[in-house]
Amino acid sequence: MKKALLIIYAIVLIVISFIIANNILNDHNSKISSQTDTKVTEKEIVNSYFFTNNISTQSYKGKFLFDDIIEQDLTLNIYELANFKNGKLYELKLDSIEGINAERLNLGYFYVQEDTIYKIAPTEQNLDMLKANEELPEDSIIVCQDTEIEDSLDENEQGFHHYLDINGNEREYHSYNNQVSTGYYESFTWKKDIGLTNYRSGYGAENDSIELQLIE
């Protein structure tokens, strides 16, 4: 009888030891899985033609042709609005300048992927659409990538023109509307490992125009 009790006791100890070891192994695997998932979710999106992630402001020489001609150094603010699976959304806004509409000082939303930068109109609707399912609005435009974009129209053909040139470490995007004499134009120059170096926008005959040149 005593011998049988000892055998039962030994079996119980073995079972308990097995349960403890199994729980420890499951806990260890769970931690590894959790760490792996975190690494995947926290994957850093880096585009070498956009501003580095630790830059929140950048200084430019500015020239503004509105009611008056204004030439001054000013700050471009780089706001990170959202971090998605496939990219990050930023808003680029200049500091306020007396006499210039705040809307003209907002360069727009920029959805930045590893190999492409899209410009998006800075509206609440577009922001909500991106946050809901990371869907780009239909009027989004590519302003930087490693492949040139040819203008779909002839040079003097009326309509909305846009094209992207590659010059060494620079990507230059240009757009203009020549359907009317006061059509809007806009251009971006992005430089590798630096970000936005030049920006121009305005209307025909240089009305309400903005010119920015990076202070390096």
Side-chain angles (χ1 to χ4, degrees), residues 23-58:
N23 286 340
I24 291 172
L25 181 61
N26 287 338
D27 184 57
H28 178 68
N29 289 338
S30 175
K31 286 180 179 177
I32 290 175
S33 174
S34 173
Q35 289 169 359
T36 304
D37 290 344
T38 303
K39 286 179 183 176
V40 170
T41 342
E42 293 178 355
K43 179 186 175 185
E44 194 65 42
I45 302 295
V46 177
N47 186 310
S48 58
Y49 288 92
F50 198 73
F51 304 102
T52 56
N53 291 331
N54 60 342
I55 291 179
S56 58
T57 61
Q58 196 66 287

Side-chain angles (χ1 to χ4, degrees), residues 38-211:
T38 303
K39 286 179 183 176
V40 170
T41 342
E42 293 178 355
K43 179 186 175 185
E44 194 65 42
I45 302 295
V46 177
N47 186 310
S48 58
Y49 288 92
F50 198 73
F51 304 102
T52 56
N53 291 331
N54 60 342
I55 291 179
S56 58
T57 61
Q58 196 66 287
S59 299
Y60 290 83
K61 291 183 180 298
K63 183 177 180 180
F64 305 85
L65 300 177
F66 286 76
D67 293 335
D68 296 314
I69 299 176
I70 302 172
E71 294 189 48
Q72 68 178 60
D73 294 351
L74 71 163
T75 298
L76 177 70
N77 300 287
I78 304 147
Y79 301 114
E80 183 180 323
L81 300 182
N83 190 358
F84 301 106
K85 179 182 177 182
N86 297 313
K88 289 186 177 182
L89 182 67
Y90 295 87
E91 183 176 24
L92 302 185
K93 292 176 71 174
L94 294 165
D95 281 347
S96 60
I97 300 174
E98 187 176 351
I100 299 180
N101 190 311
E103 186 178 343
R104 287 289 287 121
L105 299 175
N106 189 335
L107 274 57
Y109 289 162
F110 293 83
Y111 179 70
V112 180
Q113 297 181 315
E114 289 183 351
D115 54 1
T116 311
I117 301 174
Y118 295 85
K119 186 196 171 185
I120 301 169
T123 66
E124 287 296 324
Q125 182 180 357
N126 286 343
L127 182 59
D128 292 341
M129 182 185 299
L130 277 161
K131 285 184 174 180
N133 52 17
E134 201 170 352
E135 179 183 349
L136 289 171
E138 288 184 3
D139 59 352
S140 304
I141 54 174
I142 295 174
V143 294
C144 183
Q145 64 176 16
D146 282 333
T147 305
E148 290 190 339
I149 298 174
E150 292 187 8
D151 195 343
S152 59
L153 303 176
D154 292 333
E155 185 177 352
N156 296 319
E157 187 177 349
Q158 289 192 340
F160 175 71
H161 296 253
H162 74 109
Y163 57 96
L164 191 152
D165 291 332
I166 294 177
N167 297 308
N169 285 334
E170 292 184 335
R171 305 289 180 264
E172 296 180 7
Y173 171 81
H174 302 272
S175 68
Y176 62 94
N177 182 356
N178 63 353
Q179 287 178 308
V180 292
S181 59
T182 55
Y184 185 73
Y185 66 85
E186 188 171 46
S187 68
F188 297 87
T189 301
W190 310 88
K191 191 169 183 179
K192 191 172 184 178
D193 299 326
I194 293 178
L196 182 67
T197 57
N198 293 87
Y199 173 80
R200 293 180 68 246
S201 70
Y203 298 87
E206 300 294 328
N207 290 324
D208 292 351
S209 69
I210 296 175
E211 293 183 21

